[in-house]
């Protein structure tokens, strides 16, 4: 008996892009043509240049392209579909266990480099709420003799961050653990640098977030409590015990939170060295030093 050979449904590239763009546009996705092209590039495992070199009439498989388009039309973050996101100089794996790294967060790394310019320093770095590990790993990429610890309350995020350390060849210098903030650290541990992008969205504002964030990213990594400052209250209270004398902390903040962070710093014997804006001109990184 002859078994019929299974055929894979195919369509011309131009038709796939046209239909994918239409579905994304109907779903209200910004830049639907661009996103359709990027999803097709991912589905076909091509580079942008390779797709451009293909004839628009060439038949290629419909799947997994249309599966990806349907996920994106449901406002699933693009990075969750592709499984990776660039941050600083790194290509990191991402998953729904953690927030997708944002370009705004790179402001913390530029701030660190400005106030700790000696990149040969043997810094001991702590990253609280590490998520993908993006902050710690980006810092270690710049300070080749540094090492550090990343902590996340979600065990799956800590596992993801460890995988990213391996992906970036930094597994010998980065250690990740699952814990609530610094609870699992030895009481005697002190750090030259503490980095953190904590939850800072006021609970009442969560419903107004874009659907990609509201419906797909982990709420626990977003919800900062009634006024958005719960995590900062705890972190600032602990920084005098976590930092060495003269140690530096760089914290990401949300829109309009600078004044509150300055008050928390004063209350906890921390000196606000600087507040750095992101590329949109929004105050994003608060640079703190332990007062001695």
């Amino acid at each position: 008996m002859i078994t019929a050979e299974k055929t894979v449904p195919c369509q011309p590239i131009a038709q796939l892009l046209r239909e994918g763009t239409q579905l994304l546009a109907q779903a209200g996705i910004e830049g639907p043509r661009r996103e359709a092209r990027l999803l097709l590039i991912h589905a076909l495992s091509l580079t942008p240049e390779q797709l451009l070199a293909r004839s628009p009439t060439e038949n290629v498989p419909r799947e997994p392209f249309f599966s990806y388009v349907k996920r994106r039309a449901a406002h699933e973050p693009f990075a969750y579909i592709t499984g990776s996101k660039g941050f600083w100089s790194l290509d990191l794996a991402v998953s729904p266990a953690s927030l997708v790294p944002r370009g705004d967060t790179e402001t913390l790394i530029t701030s660190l480099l400005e106030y700790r310019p000696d990149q040969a320093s043997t810094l001991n770095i702590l990253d609280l709420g590490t998520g993908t590990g993006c902050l710690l790993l980006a810092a270690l990429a710049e300070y080749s003799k540094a090492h550090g610890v990343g902590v996340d309350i979600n065990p799956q995020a800590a596992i993801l961050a460890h995988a990213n350390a391996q992906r970036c060849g930094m597994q010998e210098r980065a250690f990740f653990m699952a814990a609530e903030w610094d609870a699992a650290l030895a009481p005697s541990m002190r750090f030259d640098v503490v980095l953190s992008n904590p939850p800072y969205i006021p609970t009442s504002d969560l419903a107004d977030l874009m659907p990609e964030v509201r419906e797909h990213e982990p709420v626990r990594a977003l919800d900062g409590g009634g006024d958005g400052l719960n995590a900062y209250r705890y972190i600032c209270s602990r920084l005098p015990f976590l930092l060495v004398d003269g140690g530096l902390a760089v914290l990401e903040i949300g829109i309009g939170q600078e004044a509150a962070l300055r008050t928390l710093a004063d209350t906890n014997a921390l000196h606000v060295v600087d507040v750095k804006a992101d590329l949109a001109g929004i105050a994003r990184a608060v640079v703190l030093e332990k007062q001695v």
Side-chain angles (χ1 to χ4, degrees):
M1 182 175 67
I2 300 175
T3 303
E5 189 174 320
K6 291 184 178 180
T7 58
V8 177
C10 294
Q11 286 181 219
I13 287 174
Q15 185 179 351
L16 285 177
L17 287 174
R18 183 168 59 251
E19 293 181 13
T21 299
Q22 184 177 15
L23 288 170
L24 294 176
Q26 289 171 349
I29 300 298
E30 187 176 345
R33 173 74 177 182
R34 174 181 176 274
E35 293 227 0
R37 287 185 62 83
L38 292 173
L39 289 173
L40 185 60
I41 286 166
H42 179 63
L44 298 177
S45 299
L46 299 175
T47 65
E49 294 76 19
Q50 288 171 333
L51 180 63
L52 193 62
R54 298 284 188 96
S55 168
T57 61
E58 180 182 344
N59 282 324
V60 295
R62 287 172 46 88
E63 294 295 341
F65 172 68
F66 274 110
S67 296
Y68 294 159
V69 168
K70 289 175 183 176
R71 290 169 63 184
R72 188 68 188 101
H75 291 272
E76 183 175 348
F78 188 91
Y80 286 168
I81 298 170
T82 62
S84 66
K85 181 67 186 290
F87 181 83
W88 198 248
S89 61
L90 309 174
D91 179 57
L92 302 175
V94 298
S95 82
S98 71
L99 297 180
V100 176
R102 269 79 165 169
D104 293 341
T105 302
E106 293 182 355
T107 309
L108 276 68
I109 302 300
T110 58
S111 300
L112 175 60
L113 287 166
E114 179 176 346
Y115 286 96
R116 291 295 182 269
D118 182 4
Q119 291 178 247
S121 299
T122 56
L123 297 175
N124 189 17
I125 303 172
L126 174 64
D127 180 13
L128 293 172
T130 194
T132 59
C134 62
L135 280 172
L136 177 58
L137 296 174
L140 295 182
E142 296 298 325
Y143 298 89
S144 60
K145 296 180 181 179
H147 57 278
V149 177
V151 184
D152 200 283
I153 196 169
N154 185 350
Q156 293 304 311
I159 291 170
L160 175 66
H162 175 69
N164 276 325
Q166 293 179 311
R167 181 179 179 129
C168 298
M170 299 181 196
Q171 65 272 20
E172 300 301 321
R173 297 193 290 133
F175 175 76
F176 295 95
M177 64 172 69
E180 186 170 5
W181 301 122
D182 62 331
L185 299 176
S188 61
M189 292 188 74
R190 298 290 182 271
F191 297 88
D192 302 296
V193 173
V194 174
L195 303 172
S196 186
N197 176 18
Y200 56 70
I201 306 296
T203 304
S204 60
D205 291 350
L206 293 174
D208 298 326
L209 296 174
M210 58 193 299
E212 281 83 349
V213 179
R214 183 182 68 244
E215 298 173 10
H216 296 278
E217 298 197 69
V219 173
R220 188 160 53 181
L222 297 164
D223 189 350
D227 59 359
L229 300 172
N230 284 359
Y232 298 115
R233 290 190 183 93
Y234 181 80
I235 292 171
C236 286
S237 74
R238 295 297 302 153
L239 285 176
F241 305 97
L242 292 169
L243 289 168
V244 300
D245 289 345
L248 193 77
V250 190
L251 310 181
E252 178 165 335
I253 60 170
I255 296 173
Q257 292 179 326
E258 178 183 344
L261 256 292
R262 288 183 179 277
T263 299
L264 285 171
D266 288 341
T267 302
N268 292 280
L270 299 166
H271 170 59
V272 178
V273 178
D274 204 351
V275 178
K276 292 294 186 181
D278 60 24
L279 292 177
I282 296 169
R284 186 63 61 188
V286 176
V287 182
L288 304 166
E289 276 188 348
K290 177 181 175 178
Q291 294 181 0
V292 294

